[in-house]
Amino acid sequence: MAAKTQKMEQKKEKLRKIGKESKKNILSAMDIRQLRDKILSFSLDDGDLGSQGYTKVLLQLFGYTGHGKSSLINSCKYVLGKGESFKEHAEAEETDHGLTMVRNAYPLTDVITMVDNRGCSKLNDFERAEVYAQLGNFIPIGEKVEWKDNYSAMMEAIEKSELEPNFSDFIVPIFVYNVRKQMSAEEKQDVKTFMENCIKMTGIVPIIVLSFKTSADYLEIEKQFRLMGAETVIAIDNYTKMSHIKTLGRTTDILMVIDIALKNVRFRLELPRNPKRERIERKKFMYNYIHQI
């Protein structure tokens, strides 16, 4: 009799847990709809000081070649849509060589655009200078990014960008890293330096996106990035042509990347900003950096 009563209690407890989990999933689904709607309706005029001259939020993707920048763009566009039809907007492939050679832009909304910048095999001085040129909007959208190896060519490229200066984009840097890779001591120092200079150029600590979340121990990689000064680290599994069935957890993770970027924008717009002056400061940084290398 006691054993039978115990089994009934266990069954009731199991049903209670199932009920709680079901309720949790329903609430999470509601949260996703609210989060998606918040992103889709985002406006630069929402703050007390308005847009202050900015017209667009530019989510700038950086990282080593083949780490999932293009896949992140495809995933973001997919989760913001309401259908189950996956489309590959940015050409993506799991390779160490990477496919992106041109600095391409992919609108998520009328206000938010993601930029797929050319990845690099290693962040040496000259490649890093080109990365900063992309970050500072000194290389036009749609232009092929070539790794220059001399001072004159770099200075000429920056001066050329002044023919049609772009100062109305609010730049948010995002660094994508594949958790299946192991960072060497040299790479750690390179990434740390890149993060520090992102703050100098944009006022924002780069958002770290760890791709291939379930393929390795991402917690160890996350720890390494936090020790480098990262404030936000989000691990995700991208949607692909081969794996595109929408799930609650995967969709939430990807939406959170966009949401935290917009929170950074709102935070920075709480204080007076001058887009033209900030572009001048980015240009000074580029000149100083090029002189140093």
Side-chain angles (χ1 to χ4, degrees):
M1 187 70 178
K4 187 177 179 180
T5 302
Q6 185 179 9
K7 284 184 179 180
M8 288 181 66
E9 288 299 322
Q10 289 175 346
K11 186 176 181 180
K12 287 180 182 179
E13 180 62 25
K14 185 177 181 181
L15 288 172
R16 279 195 293 268
K17 286 183 178 179
I18 291 174
K20 287 181 180 179
E21 189 63 30
S22 177
K23 185 177 180 181
K24 180 181 177 182
N25 287 339
I26 291 171
L27 291 173
S28 296
M30 290 174 63
D31 290 342
I32 278 186
R33 288 196 294 272
Q34 293 169 353
L35 186 55
R36 184 190 292 116
D37 290 344
K38 185 171 72 169
I39 292 170
L40 292 173
S41 62
F42 175 83
S43 172
L44 284 163
D45 293 313
D46 289 344
D48 292 339
L49 299 178
S51 69
Q52 303 193 58
Y54 294 101
T55 60
K56 186 184 298 180
V57 174
L58 215 59
L59 308 183
Q60 294 248 49
L61 303 187
F62 297 96
Y64 297 105
T65 55
H67 277 237
K69 296 186 299 298
S70 299
S71 294
L72 176 57
I73 290 172
N74 293 330
S75 296
C76 287
K77 290 186 75 70
Y78 186 42
V79 297
L80 287 175
K82 294 184 178 180
E84 287 286 342
S85 178
F86 177 83
K87 183 178 179 181
E88 195 172 67
H89 300 270
E91 191 175 4
E93 184 176 317
E94 289 188 29
T95 169
D96 289 334
H97 303 295
L99 293 173
T100 303
M101 301 293 287
V102 176
R103 188 169 180 254
N104 290 317
Y106 299 89
L108 299 182
T109 70
D110 291 340
V111 180
I112 309 164
T113 293
M114 276 191 138
V115 176
D116 195 1
N117 292 295
R118 181 180 178 182
C120 51
S121 57
K122 58 180 180 178
L123 285 169
N124 62 33
D125 284 338
F126 281 107
E127 286 193 8
R128 195 183 293 119
E130 292 293 338
V131 168
Y132 295 147
Q134 294 176 89
L135 174 64
N137 263 351
F138 296 112
I139 297 177
I141 298 292
E143 184 171 302
K144 184 176 181 180
V145 179
E146 297 180 353
W147 302 134
K148 300 175 181 64
D149 59 0
N150 66 84
Y151 170 87
S152 298
M154 287 186 173
M155 293 296 289
E156 183 180 346
I158 293 176
E159 289 301 326
K160 183 180 176 182
S161 71
E162 294 307 298
L163 294 175
E164 295 182 16
N166 180 352
F167 52 81
S168 61
D169 289 345
F170 193 110
I171 300 169
V172 180
I174 299 174
F175 190 86
V176 182
Y177 193 85
N178 183 345
V179 300
R180 298 181 299 188
K181 309 291 183 180
Q182 292 296 322
M183 273 193 291
S184 66
E186 182 182 2
E187 285 177 336
K188 288 178 184 178
Q189 185 56 52
D190 287 341
V191 173
K192 187 174 186 295
T193 301
F194 170 74
M195 291 172 61
E196 291 169 350
N197 285 331
C198 276
I199 300 171
K200 294 176 183 177
M201 291 188 75
T202 68
I204 293 176
V205 181
I207 298 165
I208 307 300
V209 176
L210 302 181
S211 58
F212 301 97
K213 173 182 179 179
T214 55
S215 299
D217 182 5
Y218 73 86
L219 293 174
E220 178 57 33
I221 302 295
E222 177 179 347
K223 178 182 177 182
Q224 294 178 36
F225 273 102
R226 291 197 180 279
L227 289 173
M228 289 183 230
E231 292 183 348
T232 304
V233 182
I234 303 175
I236 68 167
D237 275 315
N238 281 309
Y239 287 109
T240 66
K241 288 187 291 186
M242 299 299 292
S243 177
H244 61 267
I245 297 176
K246 286 184 178 178
T247 65
L248 183 61
R250 189 183 294 196
T251 298
T252 301
D253 290 340
I254 294 166
L255 286 173
M256 286 300 295
V257 174
I258 307 171
D259 183 59
I260 194 65
L262 299 181
K263 285 179 179 177
N264 273 277
V265 175
R266 293 188 188 96
F267 175 76
R268 294 289 291 166
L269 285 178
E270 289 178 358
L271 297 173
R273 305 288 298 274
N274 186 322
K276 292 183 179 180
R277 167 57 58 184
E278 288 175 13
R279 179 180 168 84
I280 291 173
E281 293 302 318
R282 290 196 296 270
K283 186 177 178 182
K284 287 180 180 178
F285 172 89
M286 286 300 305
Y287 282 158
N288 289 333
Y289 184 82
I290 294 170
H291 278 292
Q292 287 172 11
I293 65 173

